[in-house]
Amino acid sequence: MEKELIKFMLNGEPVEVYNDPASSLLHLLREKFSLTGTKEGCGEGECGACTVLLDDLAVNSCLIPAGKVNGRSVETIEALSKDGGVDPIQEAFVEKGAVQCGFCTPGMVMSARALLKQNPDPDPEEIKMAISGNLCRCTGYKQIEAAILLAAGKINSK
Amino acid sequence: MSYRIAKNLDSALEALKEKDPATRIVAGATDLFLQEMPARLVDVSSIEELTAIEEIDNRLVIGAAATHARAAASELIKGRAAALVEACLQVGSPQVRNIGTLGGNVVNAAPAADAAVALVALGAKAVLVDSSGVWREEAVARLYSSYNCSALDGCTELLVRFLIEPCGQGEGSAFRRFAARKALALPLANAAARLKLENGMIASLSLVAAPVGPAPTRLIGTEAAILGKPAGEETWLLAAETAAEEVEVRGSLLRCSAAYRRHLVGILTADALRAAARRAAVSQSGSLT
Amino acid sequence: MPTGIVESPVKIDPRVAFQSPEVWAKVTGKAIYGGDLMLPGMLYGRILRSPHPHARIKKIDIKQASGLAGVRAVLTGSSIVQKPYGIVIDDELPLAEAVVRYIGDEVAAVAAVSYEQAAEAARLIRVEYEELPAVFDPAEALKKGAPQLHAKFPGNIAWERHLERGNCDQAFREADIVVENTFTVPPIHSTYLEPTVCLAVSDPYNGLILHTAVQSPDQVRTIVARVLDLPLSKVRVIGPVMGGGFGGRVYGNLKLYIIASLLAIRTGRPIKMQLTREEEFLVGRPLIGAELKLRMAVRSDGTILAREADIITDNGAYSAQAPWVSKTLSERNDSVYQFKAIKTKVRLVYTNKVPTGQYRAYGNQAANFATESLLDMAAAKLGFDPLEIRLKNCVRAGDVTVHGLQLKSCALADCLKAAAAEIGWHNRKEGRGYGISAAIHSSGSVVFDKNFRGAAALARLELDGRVSIFSGEQDYGQGAHATFTLIAARALGIPAELITIHTRDTLASPFSIGALGMRQTTIGGNAIRLAAEQLREKIVQTAADMVNEPVIFEGGSVKSASGQVIELPAIAFRYYSLTSGLTLVGEGKYVPAESAYDKSGYGNIAVTYSFAAHAAEVEVDKLTGEIIVHRIVAAHDSGRIINHLAALGQVYGGVTQGLGMSCFEGYLFEGGRVANASLADYRIPTSLDVPAIVPLFIEQDDPEGPYGAKGLGEIVQIPVLGAIANAIADTAGVRVTDLPITAEKVFLALSGWECEA
């Protein structure tokens, strides 16, 4: 397994790592950077638990070859509470009871973040669409959708 | 294992010069990543020329590495080739649409790839260049050799862009699919239509359905049956019947029976025609939606 | 399709919308799940599985695999001491020895320094098989001459039960109409989002420690100790955070734990093993598939008299909890209505397919689909309104049901009325179909172990004045910790923020049956209430001794008669100092009254019972058969709701799982091969597939549950199936009797086409 130097922005900081460029971004994040907040639910892009932002767009990190992030910017769930604070999206998730087992939660939060970056005032339909690639078995999505709506309000009123 | 991100077309072609069977062009890489990865990958998703969506000389030019998400959000495409927007919006999930590209959708050669079905119905041409710098144009429908097998040689050739004649006055297009759930699902069947109306009559049309063969397939019989007929329910029902009759379908345990798929092709064809005709009528009356 | 985010009409009382502080760890990505665990020197384990549904193992050659760099152990059935085990029936071995019985059967296991090397080594193991005839259809398996799976179970019958209560034949003679039909339900996977992971650590001093998230850690360690011949006190289970359970994780994946333990013992190194998503579907013990042949006898005035059932449940190759599930599936639903007589034959049959287990509600949801469908057929035949026939026959508080369940509290009739009113039963929209369905489920089942009906808990006052609760019940995301916190806070009269719940270490917590049978709130919650109450008494006693005058404990602090305030840390310190190190501990022992059930299973089998009625509003596109579920109203009698926010979450989630089972999910087999072993093809609902859901709580005190509460988790899924099936039949005019009800099936029924193979 040949390794290559991969340089990219990770949660706002420049990083460099020697890694197999054909292994997944998900494994790179979890194994090389110990960023275990990004979860592996299927490894096939079918559940969204591994959602991270790549240049501000939600992507399945399990489907991204590590080499692809060279020169780009990756953001994981850990970026949202970097300085010990909590993001309004996370606050809203807790407030609305949107977290049950929590395994889909980091991916959901990242999909919500991608949505609100692009569309600060989404309607319920747009919210459903934005998380349609994130499976959740516990919640039936209702409290998650309510949380994202609440988060939009929180961010906009700031 | 090497992964190179090509900055421009020349450097991507340079990498293909060796005609090394272990070298492959990738864009989104979402499909390839789940299969056996070739040893040397050349990522073309950052090449500006391959990602642009623009109108040049009254032709819609869509870079092969444009993502489904960008195509779906493009006002330019929406106004001129609505079927493609509808198709791109229904691929996989937001995450997959953000990374998967139109070119990949075609080159991966899945028989019912939504965007490819729309592209074929729209009459899109693929522009390709090989490692020696020779350019050619090919109808998208001709880029398929067999089931899940592209006619394009990913080791020596690069798909650069798609060219589409925009829907003009009196023209409209639409795409419809039927799937077992509303996201993260491959379609049981899909269909796309492009047509032109003159005095309420179908003056020209292109109808495509899938999966009814290895490639998105023109419904030649149905096209012939309704060409020149008035745009209306009677015609759409005739189209549904003819389409269901003319297609060769297979059943699968995972999706549905052949009989149901055949029926769906008919329904979706009529739905797509109906929506395309509505758009054509609107464009004729001058008010763009 | 209505798509707005519907806020529930249930008003959330913020005082009872508490969440465990663990949600902050989860929402920030800091919660540690099994897959996140790493230990120095850790090895990775992989399992080689059978590619054949039924075959004799002739020879296993591990030479090449053992010689691969980085490989530390290769185990086969003949290289380990094997002991048959099971949950109900001992029909499994840790590794197959002579015969493999399904595609996925564990044949050999490897430990290596990396996951890739372990996988490569597993590939290098050469196994020679002699294929045997296999059988996949339970009806075929019952036939004479069918391939036999287990010598101990001739005829492939793993378990069977013949039961009659009342005089069924006479009831059928008295009936004015008889309706009958056959219903089929495929195996259903819990589909928790976190794949099963286990990290096994073994050393001579600590014994075996299994880091894995299961709903019943004590039961898992009991079985693992038995199979591996280890002293029970030398097997400890520590749970990381659990990424969903839904009944599928009561025992987790025992085989994985046993194999990981064997590898850890053999190598002396920590072993991490994780199922891939594909393996989850291949070996993850789904709910049994079933075929239910039902007949129902009804009088022309709408009185339901009797029900006869011939049920075959598809066990797969090994049985896990399938006998218990078959029993619940064939029986529990009978207590929704006042049946006079019941006759049931249920056979659990071995086939060369995925071994089965359990999922939320123990098969009660399958029975709901069948019975509630049949009841609507009866209503239609008699010209009765489906709501009226249910109201006429449903059980009420004070009833003793046909199986002897004693209903101390029951608001089922109110649930039916509330669900019907909210859905617009008498105010229907044009072109829509309406369906209603009712359910009962045990709240605090006491039949898992005759000698162990209840639960115990400890409440400990810490030196800092905070309170730690130790319980063996489990929070897999359903919010048990939050509910337990609220119960303890109420019993102690202190703020919830001062309480921490510890449940995940079998060394620290009292033994527990675990999170199943809706035991958590009713049984576990009662134990915690009692522990907290005893701690409260001890706090008062110690404080009174300190100040030598009577004290009262109110509003979180202790005050003496003379007005002195004695802080909790001071009380804790006083006791600690008096005893040189002990802390004040309250012990809670909740032991439900001796169950009166007899040999035939007649009698009270749970502390109490929860009820629900759901109503569905759907639309069917006649051109394609497409089903659009618009709205589901879920009316529940779970007694007093302790935690409104969590209760709403349970309803939304349970209804969605019910929708999944109704219209989307189910194993598909090609022979013995699972055809849809991925999240792409085993389709659970996405956000775009879930209709508006309206939860309603009919709150009445239950005399048994803590603060009047009853269980809510499992029951939510049950009535969804009948409600949706009936609503579809109402508008389509045709009835699909095999789950899932897909567009294609509805279309084929509508068109009268024969389905091609």
Side-chain angles (χ1 to χ4, degrees):
Chain A
M1 191 192 321
E2 285 169 60
K3 296 189 173 184
E4 287 188 347
L5 182 65
I6 302 168
K7 295 162 100 171
F8 63 108
M9 291 295 284
L10 178 55
N11 294 338
E13 282 176 12
V15 293
E16 296 186 9
V17 63
Y18 275 96
N19 202 73
D20 173 9
S23 81
S24 73
L25 172 61
L26 170 64
H27 290 160
L28 177 70
L29 293 170
R30 288 180 56 86
E31 284 152 27
K32 291 286 164 65
F33 293 99
S34 295
L35 295 172
T36 54
T38 306
K39 300 300 180 195
E40 179 165 17
C42 70
E44 300 176 329
E46 296 293 344
C47 77
C50 68
T51 301
V52 300
L53 301 197
L54 180 61
D55 293 338
D56 278 352
L57 295 177
V59 295
N60 294 312
S61 62
C62 75
L63 289 185
I64 307 277
K68 200 179 189 42
V69 303
N70 235 323
R72 301 175 74 174
S73 166
V74 173
E75 197 181 69
T76 69
I77 185 73
E78 285 85 358
L80 277 71
S81 49
K82 224 176 158 189
D83 311 310
V86 184
D87 190 88
I89 300 173
Q90 293 169 321
E91 262 175 28
F93 266 61
V94 170
E95 211 173 311
K96 287 289 178 188
V99 181
Q100 286 192 36
C101 88
F103 201 76
C104 77
T105 307
M108 282 286 183
V109 169
M110 296 313 282
S111 281
R113 183 168 171 88
L115 168 71
L116 297 181
K117 276 183 180 222
Q118 252 185 0
N119 177 0
D121 193 19
D123 63 32
E125 210 37 47
E126 290 165 330
I127 290 172
K128 277 173 197 270
M129 183 62 94
I131 60 166
S132 62
N134 296 74
L135 293 178
C136 170
R137 189 61 156 168
C138 298
T139 65
Y141 308 98
K142 298 296 175 193
Q143 287 160 311
I144 295 171
E145 290 157 14
I148 298 172
L149 202 60
L150 175 67
K154 278 178 190 261
I155 294 166
N156 294 339
S157 68
K158 267 191 181 169
Chain B
M1 180 70 230
S2 80
Y3 197 98
R4 287 210 18 231
I5 296 177
K7 293 273 177 298
N8 52 51
L9 198 52
D10 286 346
S11 71
L13 292 177
E14 193 62 34
L16 292 181
K17 279 234 160 75
E18 284 167 33
K19 300 193 164 46
D20 173 3
T23 299
R24 271 287 286 275
I25 297 286
V26 291
T30 50
D31 288 312
L32 194 63
F33 197 57
L34 294 176
Q35 303 155 13
E36 201 68 30
M37 290 277 272
R40 276 170 289 284
L41 296 169
V42 181
D43 183 324
V44 296
S45 65
S46 307
I47 301 175
E48 233 169 88
E49 212 177 332
L50 265 73
T51 57
I53 299 174
E54 51 202 339
E55 193 168 26
I56 301 172
D57 297 338
N58 197 31
R59 277 215 293 198
L60 204 49
V61 181
I62 303 170
T67 62
H68 291 94
R70 282 194 50 237
S74 161
E75 286 299 323
L76 197 63
I77 302 177
K78 195 177 172 188
R80 290 156 183 79
L84 185 58
V85 167
E86 287 174 327
C88 288
L89 262 176
Q90 300 194 55
V91 169
S93 66
Q95 289 93 323
V96 168
R97 295 196 285 274
N98 277 336
I99 199 93
T101 65
L102 297 190
N105 201 251
V106 168
V107 175
N108 185 51
D114 298 299
V117 167
L119 285 170
V120 172
L122 286 162
K125 286 205 167 56
V127 179
L128 306 114
V129 58
D130 70 10
S131 51
S132 42
V134 177
W135 292 77
R136 68 183 175 113
E137 275 186 29
E138 193 71 79
V140 171
R142 294 177 58 95
L143 294 181
Y144 293 76
S145 65
S146 63
Y147 276 97
N148 299 304
C149 215
S150 176
L152 180 143
D153 181 356
C155 305
T156 61
E157 222 175 359
L158 176 59
L159 174 53
V160 179
R161 63 181 77 96
F162 298 103
L163 304 176
I164 300 173
E165 298 294 333
C167 287
Q169 226 189 23
E171 274 195 288
S173 72
F175 169 90
R176 291 292 182 270
R177 64 147 38 195
F178 195 88
R181 64 178 172 188
K182 294 211 163 60
L184 291 167
L186 292 171
L188 272 57
N190 53 18
R194 174 179 184 154
L195 53 68
K196 189 176 172 109
L197 299 183
E198 278 171 18
N199 305 320
M201 302 292 179
I202 302 171
S204 70
L205 91 154
S206 151
L207 270 176
V208 174
V212 300
T217 305
R218 284 281 290 270
L219 303 178
I220 307 292
T222 312
E223 290 178 3
I226 66 168
L227 188 66
K229 294 228 153 57
E233 266 321 296
E234 212 171 301
T235 303
W236 310 146
L237 291 179
L238 175 66
E241 258 173 50
T242 320
E245 266 169 36
E246 82 167 286
V247 292
E248 278 183 40
V249 289
R250 301 202 265 192
S252 89
L253 178 63
L254 286 179
R255 310 275 170 256
C256 62
S257 66
Y260 185 58
R261 179 167 274 161
R262 177 183 298 284
H263 171 73
L264 283 180
V265 165
I267 298 286
L268 293 168
T269 300
D271 279 354
L273 279 168
R274 212 175 270 123
R278 211 175 304 126
R279 290 202 173 102
V282 168
S283 83
Q284 213 154 29
S285 69
S287 66
L288 272 176
T289 49
Chain C
M1 180 143 190
T3 46
I5 294 164
V6 179
E7 290 277 348
S8 164
V10 175
K11 247 194 129 107
I12 296 179
D13 180 342
R15 288 167 306 164
V16 289
F18 178 78
Q19 302 204 61
S20 162
E22 198 166 73
V23 294
W24 290 108
K26 288 175 176 176
V27 82
T28 52
K30 288 171 189 144
I32 304 293
Y33 295 80
D36 304 330
L37 294 174
M38 304 280 272
L39 279 176
M42 186 176 93
L43 301 176
Y44 294 81
R46 282 300 290 159
I47 292 171
L48 177 71
R49 301 182 179 281
S50 165
H52 303 296
H54 202 189
R56 200 179 307 286
I57 299 173
K58 290 175 72 179
K59 200 176 138 197
I60 304 181
D61 178 1
I62 62 166
K63 219 164 138 198
Q64 239 191 319
S66 308
L68 190 73
V71 172
R72 297 290 177 263
V74 180
L75 303 181
T76 62
S78 58
S79 71
I80 55 171
V81 180
Q82 298 254 59
K83 205 185 223 181
Y85 74 95
I87 294 166
V88 185
I89 302 169
D90 290 341
D91 60 5
E92 296 193 57
L93 288 172
L95 288 169
E97 226 169 65
V99 178
V100 289
R101 296 183 178 85
Y102 78 102
I103 296 173
D105 215 343
E106 290 81 355
V107 173
V110 176
V113 295
S114 75
Y115 181 87
E116 290 75 15
Q117 280 159 301
E120 181 57 22
R123 266 194 297 275
L124 291 175
I125 298 171
R126 296 276 164 263
V127 187
E128 254 180 66
Y129 294 100
E130 177 197 337
E131 287 190 56
L132 298 170
V135 63
F136 309 120
D137 176 29
E140 290 296 317
L142 284 170
K143 284 186 183 158
K144 243 195 175 132
Q148 300 291 299
L149 269 81
H150 297 271
K152 277 189 184 166
F153 297 90
N156 291 320
I157 296 182
W159 176 91
E160 67 184 312
R161 187 167 186 231
H162 299 261
L163 180 72
E164 182 163 6
R165 307 208 191 281
N167 190 333
C168 208
D169 293 342
Q170 193 189 326
F172 270 86
R173 280 194 299 273
E174 284 171 16
D176 294 309
I177 64 154
V178 171
V179 282
E180 56 191 303
N181 218 314
T182 301
F183 301 88
T184 56
V185 181
I188 300 285
H189 194 285
S190 289
T191 328
Y192 29 73
L193 211 60
E194 177 210 18
T196 302
V197 188
C198 167
L199 178 57
V201 188
S202 169
D203 74 65
Y205 180 72
N206 289 301
L208 178 69
I209 301 176
L210 285 170
H211 296 269
T212 189
V214 292
Q215 293 171 237
S216 296
D218 284 304
Q219 302 214 55
V220 165
R221 86 183 169 108
T222 305
I223 294 175
V224 170
R226 197 177 76 216
V227 177
L228 301 179
D229 230 346
L230 296 169
L232 183 58
S233 62
K234 287 290 182 191
V235 181
R236 177 177 173 192
V237 174
I238 302 176
V241 175
M242 200 185 314
F246 319 114
R249 283 229 166 101
V250 170
Y251 294 85
N253 196 293
L254 279 170
K255 189 74 68 96
L256 190 75
Y257 309 150
I258 291 166
I259 291 171
S261 302
L262 285 165
L263 287 169
I265 292 166
R266 177 69 60 94
T267 60
R269 304 262 294 265
I271 303 287
K272 186 171 181 178
M273 297 188 82
Q274 176 161 359
L275 295 182
T276 62
R277 182 55 66 176
E278 185 188 18
E279 284 178 303
E280 274 293 353
F281 285 111
L282 295 186
V283 305
R285 311 288 155 122
L287 173 71
I288 47 175
E291 185 189 77
L292 303 94
K293 283 195 177 100
L294 300 186
R295 295 176 73 218
M296 197 185 280
V298 187
R299 259 206 308 254
S300 56
D301 68 352
T303 307
I304 303 173
L305 296 175
R307 202 274 283 120
E308 213 177 83
D310 183 353
I311 298 167
I312 294 177
T313 48
D314 187 350
N315 193 39
Y318 306 103
S319 75
Q321 305 105 302
W324 295 341
V325 178
S326 299
K327 185 169 180 286
T328 302
L329 183 151
S330 64
E331 167 178 329
R332 189 73 65 254
N333 193 256
D334 302 338
S335 290
V336 174
Y337 302 106
Q338 290 153 333
F339 285 102
K340 314 278 181 290
I342 289 291
K343 195 194 272 181
T344 301
K345 175 178 170 190
V346 52
R347 288 170 291 174
L348 175 66
V349 181
Y350 283 115
T351 56
N352 294 108
K353 299 206 304 260
V354 178
T356 52
Q358 117 81 344
Y359 168 44
R360 194 175 196 153
Y362 252 69
N364 194 348
Q365 67 277 61
N368 175 278
F369 163 64
T371 314
E372 293 289 319
S373 295
L374 199 61
L375 186 54
D376 262 28
M377 294 179 199
K381 215 166 170 180
L382 289 171
F384 250 85
D385 181 310
L387 172 65
E388 292 312 315
I389 201 167
R390 284 170 175 79
L391 284 171
K392 186 177 172 73
N393 292 283
C394 73
V395 293
R396 318 237 164 194
D399 280 1
V400 176
T401 74
V402 69
H403 291 294
L405 313 187
Q406 295 156 20
L407 311 183
K408 289 163 197 145
S409 70
C410 171
L412 180 54
D414 291 336
C415 288
L416 281 163
K417 287 178 203 159
E422 177 65 30
I423 203 79
W425 191 260
H426 296 294
N427 183 23
R428 300 183 168 210
K429 292 193 190 107
E430 185 71 29
R432 299 279 166 92
Y434 294 80
I436 195 159
S437 146
I440 183 175
H441 206 58
S442 313
S443 174
S445 185
V446 296
V447 293
F448 294 103
D449 182 345
K450 260 185 240 147
N451 302 309
F452 196 111
R453 301 190 302 281
L458 302 174
R460 185 165 88 192
L461 181 66
E462 304 292 354
L463 288 177
D464 54 15
R466 297 178 57 87
V467 172
S468 304
I469 303 285
F470 296 88
S471 156
E473 314 305 328
Q474 294 300 309
D475 188 325
Y476 45 87
Q478 85 281 39
H481 282 181
T483 299
F484 292 160
T485 304
L486 287 171
I487 289 173
R490 197 148 150 188
L492 282 160
I494 62 173
E497 288 67 31
L498 289 180
I499 293 164
T500 307
I501 310 286
H502 301 275
T503 60
R504 296 198 174 115
D505 186 345
T506 56
L507 191 65
S509 300
F511 194 97
S512 164
I513 294 282
L516 66 157
M518 293 212 299
R519 294 178 64 263
Q520 301 297 274
T521 299
T522 328
I523 293 182
N526 258 331
I528 286 164
R529 176 179 61 84
L530 292 168
E533 282 172 5
Q534 197 189 80
L535 176 63
R536 184 188 165 84
E537 279 169 34
K538 288 189 175 177
I539 288 170
V540 168
Q541 188 60 51
T542 308
D545 289 348
M546 280 168 80
V547 293
N548 228 346
E549 54 174 324
V551 298
I552 51 161
F553 186 4
E554 214 176 57
S557 68
V558 181
K559 285 190 199 83
S560 74
S562 63
Q564 251 191 95
V565 174
I566 313 131
E567 301 290 353
L568 290 178
I571 299 168
F573 188 77
R574 163 75 166 212
Y575 188 76
Y576 155 90
S577 142
L578 278 175
T579 59
S580 288
L582 294 182
T583 43
L584 280 171
V585 176
E587 287 184 356
K589 302 171 282 273
Y590 176 67
V591 186
E594 187 91 48
S595 293
Y597 57 94
D598 64 16
K599 259 205 182 124
S600 78
Y602 181 90
N604 212 23
I605 55 133
V607 171
T608 184
Y609 303 90
S610 297
F611 297 90
H614 288 192
E617 177 193 328
V618 310
E619 193 179 336
V620 169
D621 177 351
K622 300 236 162 101
L623 275 182
T624 58
E626 186 184 4
I627 301 152
I628 305 146
V629 179
H630 285 279
R631 228 166 142 237
I632 292 175
V633 178
H636 282 266
D637 164 20
S638 283
R640 293 282 166 204
I641 299 300
I642 292 192
N643 191 346
H644 273 146
L645 199 59
L648 288 174
Q650 284 301 300
V651 175
Y652 293 133
V655 167
T656 302
Q657 289 189 11
L659 170 74
M661 191 167 166
S662 301
C663 300
F664 294 81
E665 296 173 36
Y667 272 63
L668 296 169
F669 291 98
E670 243 164 8
R673 191 181 70 83
V674 179
N676 58 341
S678 73
L679 287 174
D681 296 323
Y682 186 98
R683 294 178 284 260
I684 67 171
T686 72
S687 59
L688 296 174
D689 299 302
V690 183
I693 299 170
V694 185
L696 299 173
F697 296 117
I698 312 299
E699 294 197 49
Q700 290 179 4
D701 279 324
D702 180 81
E704 274 296 325
Y707 306 111
K710 301 194 280 192
L712 175 66
E714 292 181 39
I715 192 171
V716 183
Q717 196 193 8
I718 301 167
V720 186
L721 285 96
I724 290 179
N726 286 337
I728 292 169
D730 180 44
T731 178
V734 291
R735 189 171 282 279
V736 175
T737 55
D738 59 324
L739 290 182
I741 308 174
T742 60
E744 179 176 15
K745 289 181 192 171
V746 172
F747 175 77
L748 291 177
L750 279 169
S751 62
W753 289 6
E754 284 296 310
C755 189
E756 18 182 337

